[in-house]
Amino acid sequence: MNRAAATQRIKKLRDCLAWSLQNNRLLTDSQRICLNQERAAWLALLREDDLNPGHAREPQYRVPPELESRINQIGILIQSSGWDRYYNYERQFSTI
């Protein structure tokens, strides 16, 4: 996966986590831990790519298929409702 796709995946996971926490629904604590694990795996790959460019790999951890379905459901809810995070992380973390 290329850097742009990895960055989009990180943003999608981050938004699902934020939406779930703000709305207090659809993800259990364990599921949120899984999302954070995958997000950390992607961030580690991006960091590795900065140090050693050109080694396209997949993260060591991906969420299970059932949880991926839940992530997609939340993504649809986010898009259909026009939801936006309370805090704009883009200003603080412009590289992600």
Side-chain angles (χ1 to χ4, degrees):
M1 190 175 279
N2 65 26
R3 189 171 190 83
T7 301
Q8 281 303 110
R9 179 65 179 171
I10 292 167
K11 286 180 179 183
K12 182 176 186 177
L13 294 170
R14 179 198 60 202
D15 287 350
C16 286
L17 284 164
W19 185 91
S20 175
L21 288 169
Q22 286 179 8
N23 293 286
N24 198 25
R25 57 186 240 208
L26 290 185
L27 292 178
T28 65
D29 291 342
S30 299
Q31 291 170 328
R32 285 194 290 267
I33 289 169
C34 290
L35 265 69
N36 276 312
Q37 285 178 316
E38 182 177 337
R39 198 167 59 120
W42 281 113
L43 289 168
L45 277 182
L46 290 178
R47 185 181 63 245
E48 265 184 52
D49 188 51
D50 287 342
L51 299 173
N52 194 5
H55 288 63
R57 297 186 324 176
E58 289 293 314
Q60 290 183 356
Y61 179 83
R62 297 292 298 254
V63 296
E66 311 83 46
L67 185 50
E68 186 64 41
S69 174
R70 183 75 48 101
I71 291 168
N72 291 332
Q73 290 174 347
I74 292 172
I76 291 168
L77 287 170
I78 288 171
Q79 286 182 338
S80 65
S81 67
W83 175 85
D84 194 18
R85 292 180 312 279
Y86 291 141
Y87 181 77
N88 186 352
Y89 284 95
E90 264 69 29
R91 285 186 292 191
Q92 184 176 0
F93 303 109
S94 60
T95 60
I96 295 179

